[in-house]
Amino acid sequence: MHCNYFKTRNSQAIDMKIGYNNKLIPSFLSTKFLGLTINSTLSWRMHVDHLTTTISTPCNVIRSIKPLISHETLLLIYHFLFHTVRSYGIIFLANSCHSIQIFQTHKRVIRIIMGCGTRESCRILLKKLKILPLTSQYLLSLLIFVVNYTDKFFINSEIHNINTRQNSNFHLTSANLDIYQKVAYCSGSKVFNSLPFNVKKFSNNPRSFKTAVKQFLCMNYFYSLDKYYNNNSK
């Protein structure tokens, strides 16, 4: 048994002592919960480092067996060994500044599958394979999370009675901490509100919504959240 306390990056360390049954519970700067390594500042750096090492192994496996199997079988192995591992917990990780490591490893394995050099544009390769880049996969997972738990979100009309164009959007919670703005609840509201209406209208049916979001993301292939927000502000 151990404990972990959370703090902001610039706050001073607290000498906190927690006990149970007259025994002192040791505290650590990080802990593992449901397969995710969570550190005290919620930066996700330790988990991203571990994940990057984990998904590097499938890259080497795919490189070794590529000449021996068909392209279709290679893609099945990619989805089984790489994609499922990369996607786990993505609604927490992909919004971290450290996620660039995962993105770079993903581009490496895609180039291996397609037999291309390091200068080849991965955007074109991903479209050929119909595989979403990290940011687009994050958007898909986050939007599915929002639609599955809409009862946990508040609509602007529930907060105030002012009739505005944003009345039917999710209410955005104001917060000064950047780390709070990046949590799935806050970022999920913002991402959902920025969806085009022709996609958002399916939100009452999770299956149809997932299909519509996939089609939208496959048409755009967003490499960054800024590109997503700018695209939908036009």
Side-chain angles (χ1 to χ4, degrees), residues 30-232:
S30 66
T31 188
K32 202 158 190 176
F33 181 70
L34 297 178
L36 298 174
T37 303
I38 306 172
N39 63 350
S40 58
T41 58
L42 290 177
S43 70
W44 299 104
R45 180 168 187 170
M46 296 181 70
H47 185 77
V48 169
D49 288 343
H50 173 72
L51 180 60
T52 303
T53 302
T54 302
I55 59 179
S56 292
T57 301
C59 289
N60 298 327
V61 171
I62 289 172
R63 188 194 301 276
S64 300
I65 64 176
K66 184 178 184 297
L68 308 176
I69 59 178
S70 67
H71 182 72
E72 290 73 19
T73 304
L74 195 65
L75 285 177
L76 288 175
I77 293 173
Y78 157 81
H79 282 285
F80 180 72
L81 294 180
F82 189 99
H83 181 77
T84 53
V85 177
R86 182 200 69 156
S87 300
Y88 182 72
I90 197 171
I91 63 172
F92 307 110
L93 309 176
N95 213 0
S96 165
C97 61
H98 305 292
S99 63
I100 186 65
Q101 297 175 228
I102 306 172
F103 181 51
Q104 290 171 343
T105 307
H106 187 219
K107 290 196 293 183
R108 180 155 63 94
V109 74
I110 292 300
R111 289 187 177 112
I112 292 172
I113 291 173
M114 297 299 285
C116 298
T118 56
R119 293 175 178 265
E120 189 77 23
S121 170
C122 263
R123 186 185 296 273
I124 297 172
L125 302 180
L126 286 166
K127 285 185 176 182
K128 286 182 179 179
L129 295 172
K130 296 181 180 180
I131 295 174
L132 294 175
L134 180 68
T135 299
S136 293
Q137 183 64 47
Y138 162 71
L139 290 169
L140 174 63
S141 300
L142 188 61
L143 287 166
I144 291 173
F145 164 78
V146 171
V147 166
N148 286 338
Y149 296 96
T150 50
D151 58 315
K152 307 298 182 184
F153 295 81
F154 292 100
I155 299 174
N156 283 330
S157 59
E158 297 175 327
I159 305 298
H160 57 73
N161 295 322
I162 305 173
N163 189 17
T164 66
R165 289 186 303 170
Q166 312 297 328
N167 225 20
S168 60
N169 281 346
F170 286 130
H171 178 68
L172 300 179
T173 306
S174 59
N176 293 326
L177 287 176
D178 182 59
I179 192 172
Y180 181 77
Q181 294 175 5
K182 289 183 177 182
V183 298
Y185 182 85
C186 292
S187 55
S189 299
K190 186 177 179 181
V191 165
F192 181 85
N193 289 348
S194 297
L195 271 176
F197 175 75
N198 63 334
V199 178
K200 200 186 298 184
K201 67 181 181 181
F202 293 102
S203 59
N204 291 328
N205 187 323
R207 181 175 295 182
S208 299
F209 179 76
K210 182 178 180 180
T211 301
V213 170
K214 273 188 174 180
Q215 290 175 348
F216 169 69
L217 294 174
C218 285
M219 288 175 59
N220 293 278
Y221 276 76
F222 299 110
Y223 264 43
S224 70
L225 288 176
D226 287 340
K227 290 284 181 66
Y228 170 75
Y229 291 126
N230 290 338
N231 178 80
N232 298 303

